[in-house]
Amino acid sequence: MLYHLDFHVEYPDNMNQQELFALWSEEADVALQAKQAGIVVDLWKCVGTRRVIVIVDVPTPDTLDQILLDLPIMKKNGQKVQIEVTPLRKYEDFAADIKARLNNQE
């Protein structure tokens, strides 16, 4: 199952920028390993903001929840991370469904 994840990352007042970069570097290592493993389809960092967009492919919502809870950025800064999660459907599957529905109505 594909999911669109939209991460918005803030950092607490007691964390300086260097500490945030160290945490983000650790997170980047995990994200790129997940991409090599095929869990992350692709990911992007939005320019000028602390926002990352990710497409993941996991078998169940439970698996996604477990992965998210284990991310370094969630373990060390979770109270300052908001994630919007949207399940995705492959467009080819949607198009085939629409055509089948159209053909069944004729």
Side-chain angles (χ1 to χ4, degrees):
M1 177 117 198
L2 295 172
Y3 292 90
H4 170 267
L5 309 176
D6 194 345
F7 289 79
H8 297 263
V9 179
E10 298 299 328
Y11 57 102
D13 294 336
N14 64 348
M15 181 184 284
N16 64 40
Q17 189 181 51
Q18 196 66 24
E19 292 168 324
L20 177 65
F21 288 170
L23 176 55
W24 223 326
S25 177
E26 183 180 352
E27 183 70 23
D29 290 342
V30 170
L32 294 174
Q33 288 170 7
K35 186 174 180 181
Q36 286 180 334
I39 296 166
V40 170
V41 175
D42 214 344
L43 66 163
W44 303 266
K45 162 52 177 83
C46 297
V47 176
T49 65
R50 290 180 301 274
R51 181 177 175 205
V52 175
I53 296 171
V54 184
I55 304 295
V56 297
D57 188 359
V58 295
T60 67
D62 293 341
T63 302
L64 177 58
D65 208 28
Q66 293 163 354
I67 289 170
L68 292 175
L69 291 172
D70 288 337
L71 292 175
I73 202 138
M74 295 301 289
K75 287 181 174 181
K76 297 177 181 177
N77 192 41
Q79 74 278 12
K80 294 291 186 175
V81 178
Q82 299 297 318
I83 308 169
E84 296 175 35
V85 178
T86 306
L88 300 174
R89 184 176 184 192
K90 289 189 176 185
Y91 199 84
E92 293 85 356
D93 295 344
F94 169 72
D97 185 27
I98 293 299
K99 287 182 189 233
R101 291 170 184 271
L102 183 61
N103 291 334
N104 288 337
Q105 290 180 357
E106 294 175 354

